[in-house]
Amino acid sequence: MGDYDVIVIGGGFSGAVMAERFANLQNKRVLVIEQRAHIAGNCFDYVNEAGILVHHYGPHLFHTNKSAVWDYLSQFTEWTPYEHKVLAAVDSKLVPIPFNLNTLEMMFSHDEAEALKQCLIATYGFDSKVPILELRQSPDAKLRELAECVYEKFFVNYTTKQWGCSPEQISPSVTARVPVVISRDDRYFQDRYQAIPKEGYTKLVAKILAHPNITVTLNTDATSLIKLDVQSRTITFKGQPFNGTLVFTGMLDQLFAYCHGELPYRSLQFDFQTLDLEQFQAATTVNYPNEHRYTRITEFKHILGQKSAQTTIVKEYPQDYDRLDPTKNVPYYPIFNDQNQQRFDAYKTLVDGFTNIITAGRLADYKYYNMDDAIANALNYFVAKDS
Ligand code: UDP
């Protein structure tokens, strides 16, 4: 069967955790094949020329309510506590987002804000979180008016930039990630655990992969080594039959040579700038829903509280994914709607025809996972198997 029991395609969080679990729990020999020149997938970070730890594929802020994920990762890293806060540039002011009672008071007169606050609390309860699309359906006319205002100023233009369509045209779960918060909690996430790996995500993933049974090859296109035969449901690796387990964390349409058509993704272009300034902005991230072509600016030094005479920022320009255009060929977000889901399901049926392929991660599952979801899924695969 060759040298390896398990081949993992993709060295991001999902691939790394799957590799580590197979090696550690089952003593399997694992090969991880990564097409890029680095591990850690889109969580890849590094210290740049100004000494600042930057996230090469945009800001990644770890948060979870899942103790199992937190405990697992804590074996491989120490943490720097960090609670993400985001400001939005709206009405020529910087106000907290998620929209919460503090935001309300910054945007309305005292009396208006007081009345709306009472109404929000009476309708939904203090400390509740209401997706904007739900608030727009509120039974109360005053709240519907508020929802319209929040929708117009915070959501509609940002979402149009980010996704190329309106909030109604994508899954409601997307805008529900940033609900209206009926409390004074300004934090972007409310999870129990919020922290950044002390030495960054790349070092963390390197530690996860640092098992003697695991071999990692970078700069390697897996499709040149691995062939799937859908008819006979067999896998070959370097021309030899491979009967071990294949863990696939890439795009299913690519794995099956686009036989059911392409799965749409949204991509991003990043504009990094290092400036001779101690600080560029007051928060890690400032969102620009209504102006500019970019959606947000992130200033990295805030994340770990780094001190330096310079600062590095990144602007994010959303764009369609295009696998044939090197400036657009990094997939970041699956675009899930009914049509795309059906296409994905057709690919999933092909995968399921093989008894020895496991899919994992945001790309292969075509789901808008957060980091902790990806890790939890990989861990759960083994919990289910062991019980
Ligand atoms: N969103 C918005 N305005 C904002 C922030 C978010 O309309 O100021 C919407 C937008 O559709 C976005 C989604 O909420 O894609 C989820 O936002 P999140 O910050 O979770 O996106 P991510 O960090 O994953 O890109």
Side-chain angles (χ1 to χ4, degrees):
M1 167 160 101
D3 293 339
Y4 299 103
D5 307 306
V6 177
I7 295 175
V8 176
I9 299 181
F13 257 127
S14 297
V17 176
M18 292 297 288
E20 187 275 338
R21 291 287 82 184
F22 270 117
N24 212 346
L25 297 179
Q26 300 184 2
N27 197 28
K28 304 283 194 206
R29 294 157 302 165
V30 185
L31 174 66
V32 177
I33 303 174
E34 169 55 56
Q35 66 176 358
R36 291 174 173 165
H38 61 77
I39 56 166
N42 284 357
C43 303
F44 175 61
D45 56 8
Y46 61 94
V47 177
N48 72 2
E49 68 289 347
I52 296 164
L53 187 72
V54 298
H55 300 178
H56 189 67
Y57 301 94
H60 283 72
L61 297 315
F62 185 78
H63 56 99
T64 190
N65 278 321
K66 303 174 176 91
S67 309
V69 170
W70 177 258
D71 293 344
Y72 173 80
L73 293 179
S74 299
Q75 300 172 81
F76 304 100
T77 187
E78 290 179 41
W79 300 96
T80 299
Y82 173 75
E83 294 188 326
H84 192 44
K85 291 202 177 159
V86 177
L87 297 172
V90 169
D91 289 350
S92 313
K93 279 190 284 230
L94 291 178
V95 298
I97 178 159
F99 188 95
N100 63 66
L101 297 182
N102 294 330
T103 322
L104 183 74
E105 287 175 2
M106 289 173 80
M107 295 191 56
F108 291 87
S109 71
H110 176 269
D111 291 353
E112 278 175 316
E114 212 37 46
L116 287 166
K117 193 171 90 186
Q118 297 311 329
C119 201
L120 281 168
I121 294 169
T123 309
Y124 297 102
F126 184 75
D127 216 13
S128 55
K129 297 173 189 70
V130 189
I132 186 62
L133 296 181
E134 198 180 314
L135 193 63
R136 288 180 91 209
Q137 311 293 327
S138 171
D140 187 290
K142 243 191 347 259
L143 292 185
R144 282 201 305 278
E145 212 176 296
L146 169 68
E148 244 8 78
C149 167
V150 174
Y151 179 79
E152 288 298 327
K153 293 186 180 201
F154 291 84
F155 284 94
V156 77
N157 295 328
Y158 188 105
T159 300
T160 304
K161 272 195 273 189
Q162 175 71 11
W163 296 95
C165 62
S166 74
E168 287 85 4
Q169 289 168 311
I170 49 170
S171 164
S173 62
V174 172
T175 45
R177 290 167 62 91
V178 189
V180 170
V181 175
I182 305 177
S183 77
R184 296 191 179 278
D185 192 343
D186 277 343
R187 297 172 305 164
Y188 208 62
F189 312 110
Q190 275 85 39
D191 302 55
R192 174 157 163 224
Y193 305 102
Q194 305 192 34
I196 305 296
K198 206 164 212 152
E199 296 180 75
Y201 294 99
T202 310
K203 291 255 169 67
L204 164 56
V205 174
K207 281 226 169 120
I208 294 172
L209 289 167
H211 187 285
N213 288 14
I214 301 177
T215 305
V216 179
T217 82
L218 299 176
N219 301 304
T220 307
D221 174 15
T223 55
S224 65
L225 300 176
I226 291 186
K227 305 282 177 223
L228 304 188
D229 183 336
V230 175
Q231 300 306 322
S232 62
R233 299 177 174 182
T234 53
I235 302 174
T236 54
F237 172 56
K238 293 186 179 172
Q240 301 296 315
F242 177 73
N243 299 313
T245 302
L246 179 67
V247 178
F248 184 73
T249 70
M251 295 175 283
L252 290 193
D253 55 354
Q254 184 186 29
L255 183 66
F256 291 104
Y258 307 98
C259 65
H260 291 305
E262 294 191 22
L263 286 170
Y265 294 89
R266 198 72 177 150
S267 186
L268 294 168
Q269 204 164 39
F270 293 104
D271 175 18
F272 280 85
Q273 294 170 23
T274 294
L275 309 167
D276 287 325
L277 279 178
E278 220 172 297
Q279 181 174 299
F280 176 80
Q281 61 190 25
T284 304
T285 299
V286 176
N287 288 2
Y288 291 89
N290 307 313
E291 44 202 326
H292 308 299
R293 268 198 316 115
Y294 50 86
T295 48
R296 57 188 177 190
I297 299 180
T298 295
E299 183 175 23
F300 290 101
K301 72 192 318 183
H302 292 290
I303 298 175
L304 293 176
Q306 290 181 282
K307 305 272 178 264
S308 135
Q310 292 183 305
T311 194
T312 301
I313 61 167
V314 67
K315 296 177 181 170
E316 295 179 45
Y317 293 85
Q319 56 185 3
D320 278 336
Y321 165 79
D322 180 350
R323 68 190 170 93
L324 302 174
D325 180 339
T327 66
K328 299 178 174 178
N329 68 355
V330 178
Y332 289 92
Y333 304 90
I335 304 179
F336 39 91
N337 54 34
D338 288 347
Q339 189 195 343
N340 298 346
Q341 186 63 42
Q342 275 175 20
R343 187 169 289 181
F344 173 76
D345 290 343
Y347 283 115
K348 188 73 179 136
T349 304
L350 289 180
V351 169
D352 292 342
F354 291 78
T355 51
N356 56 344
I357 303 182
I358 303 166
T359 57
R362 193 188 261 211
L363 293 179
D365 286 350
Y366 207 60
K367 291 232 170 67
Y368 195 166
Y369 290 145
N370 290 328
M371 289 180 277
D372 69 326
D373 297 320
I375 295 155
N377 289 344
L379 295 179
N380 283 340
Y381 177 80
F382 292 87
V383 172
K385 284 282 167 299
D386 287 348
S387 58

